[in-house]
Amino acid sequence: MAPIDYIERIPNNVSLAENRRLLRALEDWQPKFLEWWHDMGPEGFQSRDVYLRTAVSVDARGWAQFGYVKMPEYRWGIFLAEPEADRRINFGDHQGQPAWQEVPGEYRGTLRRLIVTQGDTEPASVEQQRHLGRTCPSLYDLRNLFQVNVEEGRHLWAMVYLLDAHFGRDGREESEALLQRRSGDHDKPRILGAFNERTPHWLSFFMFCFFTDRDGKYQLASLAESGFDPLSRTCRFMLTEEAHHMFVGETGVGRIVQRACELMREHKTDDVRRYGGIDLATIQKYVNFHCSVSLDLFGSEVSTNAANFYTMGLKGRFEETKKDDDHRLKDGTYPVIGLDGEEIVTRQEPALVSLNERLRDDYIVDCQRGVNRWNEIIKSHGVDFTLTLPHRAFRRAIGAFAEVRVSPDGRVVSQAEWDARHRDWLPTEEDEAYVASLMQPVTERGKMANWIAPPARGINSQAEDFEYVRLT
Ligand code: BYC
């Protein structure tokens, strides 16, 4: 077990005190991070006590210590999972060689770009969610939002550590740039598409946590396989925190679905908007939107970038070491969907260039499991409605389907049909205005907004009326 040193200004389990140069670089970055947090982090609430979980060690039990913390005083730090003795590179051209403890010179630029792309998403999500506190449906949800936010902040620290520790001056410049780009900014946007979208209300927040954080899970799991050991250990620890974010998303949407069903039964109608609920048809449109945006985050179906990341030993497959093949993939093929004129067809492509699509497959299976659980809730209320994931080609901006219009059930459609139907498939301005109209803050202990059911249990087994955020 590696205890975390909380005596240092930057809590860590990487013996920071012994590395004066790195310590100086991070101490130089810390006030800039705090400035960014004040400017771009959660609006309001910065001086409030929030019941947060803080990591105190990186073993199975130690990363969950609960207590009241003011967000700017959260102990953001640098925690790597325990090293594995004699770890090897498990795939690609360097398979079998000892894992790298230092950046391999020939892959420096590629590795840096991967770390920067990952790092950029973390502050981006905090920026996207910064106004949500004002309209929280309950203190329970407000606390969960802030937990997610501080942990995304810590994930930024995790990537900045790698940049500062291993990439010298370039790394320090990239660390600064991570604080300078802004989600949705015309001139200096965040790197990946989904992180420039708005998260204007809590329905989109829960969908983001379900769909977009789950991309985080799959990308981090692939980077956790990296032959560059510090990246692997960093991502392994980040994954423990990521699980809570997906829990927030899945249970958040599940509670909205539950409330819709309750209102449908109570009032014997599908039109729960009349009673202040979010109807299932509207929820389906948000599923379509957030799923398609998140599918883009896996990149093109056929990608030489992905092949190179793999061959170089920098980014593996999901659960690489559990797979029973040669871990080089020079000969195999993989089924990838693409376009043949107006038809969507499956082709066998070389396995190496198909790695983005393979990861997207793993992701879709995982999303479907969550959607099935939402459908169980619907079924348990005797309601005849099934939520579905949109076809993977629906509304894509990256990859083979970027130039065509595809319906949620996977038909290539004409522009005329798209124009006639897209309002049935995606949230309209009216839907947005309706959902926004529901966003009135509820901050009394134990109370819940009318459009969402209460959680099944409290955080850390706290009572229903627990004061998760002290507002006075
Ligand atoms: N938007 O070969 P291609 C998370 C670019 S989420 C904009 O298709 P590649 C989190 C691409 O960069 C996880 N641009 O794709 C969740 C490339 O640019 P260049 C984040 C895009 O490179 C919630 C070009 O298009 N982590 O942690 O195989 C809250 C052609 O690229 C997009 C990572 O993503 C897009 N969607 O794969 C908080 C892991 N997609 O080279 C946090 C690191 C592609 O032509 N990143 N492009 O300039 C990667 O592994 C890869 O960069 C990608 C793209 C999977 C993203």
Side-chain angles (χ1 to χ4, degrees):
M1 165 168 127
I4 290 171
D5 181 357
Y6 273 98
I7 309 297
E8 283 291 331
R9 275 179 60 195
I10 301 167
N12 70 89
N13 68 347
V14 294
S15 307
L16 203 51
E18 288 155 34
N19 187 341
R20 303 313 295 180
R21 192 193 53 76
L22 176 60
L23 183 61
R24 260 204 312 280
L26 290 169
E27 282 183 346
D28 183 48
W29 188 80
Q30 190 178 41
K32 296 173 191 158
F33 167 80
L34 284 172
E35 200 179 309
W36 167 82
W37 179 267
H38 275 287
D39 290 350
M40 297 310 297
E43 195 195 47
F45 306 99
Q46 296 280 359
S47 59
R48 303 298 183 197
D49 287 324
V50 185
Y51 186 68
L52 291 177
R53 177 182 78 176
T54 305
V56 292
S57 72
V58 297
D59 64 335
R61 277 158 300 154
W63 52 274
Q65 192 180 76
F66 289 88
Y68 284 103
V69 180
K70 292 182 181 34
M71 281 185 279
E73 290 162 19
Y74 187 79
R75 303 306 311 273
W76 286 288
I78 295 157
F79 317 131
L80 271 58
E82 290 290 280
E84 257 173 54
D86 190 34
R87 183 165 178 267
R88 305 264 142 182
I89 299 168
N90 294 314
F91 58 90
D93 284 353
H94 303 279
Q95 189 185 12
Q97 296 172 13
W100 298 297
Q101 299 306 325
E102 295 299 330
V103 175
E106 69 270 40
Y107 303 147
R108 194 182 163 84
T110 310
L111 195 51
R112 191 183 66 205
R113 204 182 82 191
L114 275 173
I115 294 170
V116 166
T117 307
Q118 176 64 49
D120 191 69
T121 63
E122 316 291 1
S125 68
V126 176
E127 291 166 2
Q128 287 170 299
Q129 296 161 13
R130 69 182 297 251
H131 300 299
L132 291 172
R134 281 195 304 212
T135 56
C136 63
S138 70
L139 286 183
Y140 167 89
D141 292 293
L142 186 62
R143 174 266 166 211
N144 280 349
L145 167 72
F146 294 154
Q147 182 73 49
V148 168
N149 291 161
V150 293
E151 285 176 353
E152 300 300 5
R154 208 201 63 71
H155 292 181
L156 169 61
W157 270 92
M159 292 300 120
V160 164
Y161 160 73
L162 293 174
L163 290 168
D164 282 6
H166 296 281
F167 293 88
R169 191 188 168 139
D170 297 357
R172 290 195 293 281
E173 281 171 12
E174 294 284 13
S175 299
E176 303 254 325
L178 286 168
L179 296 176
Q180 282 156 10
R181 285 185 287 273
R182 290 284 181 272
S183 175
D185 189 294
H186 202 266
D187 299 322
K188 40 182 177 120
R190 292 295 174 179
I191 296 170
L192 297 174
F195 295 89
N196 291 301
E197 297 285 348
R198 292 169 61 243
T199 310
H201 47 65
W202 283 76
L203 176 57
S204 70
F205 169 65
F206 291 132
M207 291 285 177
F208 182 97
C209 290
F210 182 86
F211 286 108
T212 309
D213 275 279
R214 195 174 308 274
D215 169 54
K217 167 183 166 183
Y218 281 84
Q219 298 295 347
L220 288 173
S222 306
L223 294 173
E225 302 287 345
S226 183
F228 180 49
D229 204 42
L231 176 61
S232 163
R233 290 175 57 204
T234 298
C235 291
R236 267 187 276 150
F237 184 66
M238 289 162 76
L239 279 165
T240 60
E241 294 165 320
E242 204 66 45
H244 175 69
H245 306 185
M246 284 176 295
F247 162 85
V248 169
E250 183 179 328
T251 56
V253 176
R255 288 160 54 212
I256 300 174
V257 167
Q258 184 183 328
R259 187 67 188 132
C261 293
E262 288 167 1
L263 291 168
M264 284 168 87
R265 271 177 31 152
E266 194 181 325
H267 300 284
K268 303 197 172 33
T269 176
D270 291 350
D271 182 15
V272 297
R273 287 195 184 190
R274 278 164 54 201
Y275 303 97
I278 305 180
D279 50 291
L280 297 176
T282 300
I283 295 172
Q284 178 65 61
K285 291 184 187 182
Y286 282 89
V287 167
N288 293 347
F289 176 79
H290 287 273
C291 183
S292 59
V293 167
S294 303
L295 286 173
D296 271 341
L297 290 171
F298 292 84
S300 304
E301 290 75 10
V302 174
S303 164
T304 48
N305 281 346
N308 291 337
F309 299 154
Y310 188 84
T311 305
M312 293 169 176
L314 303 181
K315 182 181 174 190
R317 288 171 292 178
F318 182 64
E319 299 191 326
E320 180 69 45
T321 46
K322 291 191 189 161
K323 296 197 193 299
D324 189 18
D325 57 23
D326 71 354
H327 302 278
R328 289 184 182 241
L329 308 181
K330 302 264 191 218
D331 304 320
T333 60
Y334 191 81
V336 174
I337 67 162
L339 276 178
D340 182 7
E342 298 282 277
E343 291 291 299
I344 295 178
V345 294
T346 303
R347 298 189 186 93
Q348 291 295 325
E349 297 284 354
L352 255 186
V353 292
S354 309
L355 288 168
N356 286 344
E357 190 64 356
R358 186 190 285 247
L359 195 61
R360 193 163 15 238
D361 282 341
D362 293 328
Y363 168 83
I364 290 172
V365 169
D366 201 25
C367 288
Q368 186 61 53
R369 283 191 213 111
V371 173
N372 291 348
R373 285 190 286 269
W374 296 336
N375 284 329
E376 297 278 310
I377 298 173
I378 300 176
K379 218 163 118 197
S380 73
H381 285 79
V383 170
D384 183 20
F385 191 100
T386 306
L387 290 166
T388 52
L389 293 174
H391 191 273
R392 68 174 74 207
F394 173 70
R395 202 187 157 275
R396 291 287 302 282
I398 301 277
F401 304 99
E403 304 300 329
V404 287
R405 298 295 196 182
V406 176
S407 62
D409 61 358
R411 283 175 306 114
V412 177
V413 298
S414 64
Q415 185 63 39
E417 183 173 353
W418 177 269
D419 291 344
R421 300 289 309 279
H422 76 268
R423 294 173 60 83
D424 301 333
W425 298 333
L426 290 164
T428 61
E429 287 107 62
E430 293 79 45
D431 296 327
E432 278 288 90
Y434 174 69
V435 175
S437 76
L438 298 177
M439 299 295 131
Q440 306 298 331
V442 176
T443 54
E444 273 172 78
R445 290 168 62 162
K447 289 270 156 48
M448 201 57 53
N450 179 51
W451 50 270
I452 187 165
R457 66 192 65 81
I459 291 294
N460 198 26
S461 308
Q462 292 296 353
E464 209 176 303
D465 66 347
F466 184 72
E467 193 173 18
Y468 288 103
V469 183
R470 288 184 178 141
L471 295 178
T472 47

